[in-house]
Amino acid sequence: MPKRRLAVLVSGRGSNLQAIMNACASGQIPATDVVAVISNRPQAPALALARAAGIPSPCVDHRRFADRSSFDAALRAQIDDFAPDHIALAGFMRQLTPAFAQHYAGRMVNIHPSLLPAFPGLHTHAQALDEGVKLHGATVHFVTADLDAGPIIVQGVVPVLAQDDVDSLAARVLALEHRIYPQALAWLVSGRLRIEQGKVTIDGETASGISPCIWPGTEDL
């Protein structure tokens, strides 16, 4: 297959970015180069990871724009300069406008630290603990105009333990994210994903039939 071009949007430390870069280097995400890492925060540690890997890493600082639409227009122009085939949001902490989401429809994915549709938005681990749920996890989904509501590609699950606090639960979910995000991107760049009637299929089958819940330390079911 021809080389695919992946742009990654980041706001924070970049642990999912590192997992993606590692997966590209190892071939787990096949025939794919990370061609740009773009942040809305000039001091995001993820930018340093990208620069150390020799990846172009510009910043579009959201504080310099009067509103979301003008920021999104500038961000879109920056992304399109790199002509990516796909865009991965990896801890990118900005809600995007409908026009931006539509421009990249079917090509842009996000990872969210909860079992969507439960706990969209922020503070997901605290919400899970407050609600007393027994299972928590992470979701990779296509990005749409609705926050954390796009078609789900894959989910991974961890148990919520009696002794858990926000930090311990977050750490287990993050380790899970590092497994399921590269897998979802591998399916995406290989052209194996389709959105049919609002649901994701992999090789023509529903995603839940191909990759049910993934537990850390076990083989994929």
Side-chain angles (χ1 to χ4, degrees), residues 76 96-108 143-145:
R76 171 177 161 175
L96 300 167
T97 58
F100 186 97
Q102 183 58 41
H103 180 64
Y104 299 110
R107 298 195 292 137
M108 182 164 60
V143 176
T144 64

Side-chain angles (χ1 to χ4, degrees), residues 8 11 39 46 51 64 91 95 112 145 156 160 194 206:
V8 184
S11 294
S39 181
R51 290 165 187 155
R64 298 189 176 188
Q95 187 171 352
H112 182 76
V160 180
R194 296 288 185 273
T206 60

Side-chain angles (χ1 to χ4, degrees), residues 39-74:
S39 181
N40 64 308
R41 294 178 176 170
Q43 303 306 316
L47 292 177
L49 290 178
R51 290 165 187 155
I55 299 170
S57 50
C59 178
V60 182
D61 189 340
H62 66 276
R63 296 170 299 181
R64 298 189 176 188
F65 297 88
D67 52 40
R68 285 175 54 206
S69 294
S70 57
F71 167 72
D72 279 9

Side-chain angles (χ1 to χ4, degrees), residues 177-214:
E177 292 177 37
H178 297 164
R179 294 183 62 200
I180 66 172
Y181 210 1
Q183 177 63 79
L185 289 169
W187 289 329
L188 179 66
V189 304
S190 300
R192 297 175 62 187
L193 302 181
R194 296 288 185 273
I195 302 173
E196 300 177 1
Q197 298 181 338
K199 295 183 179 180
V200 176
T201 63
I202 305 173
D203 298 334
E205 300 186 45
T206 60
S208 60
I210 293 292
S211 183
C213 300
I214 299 172

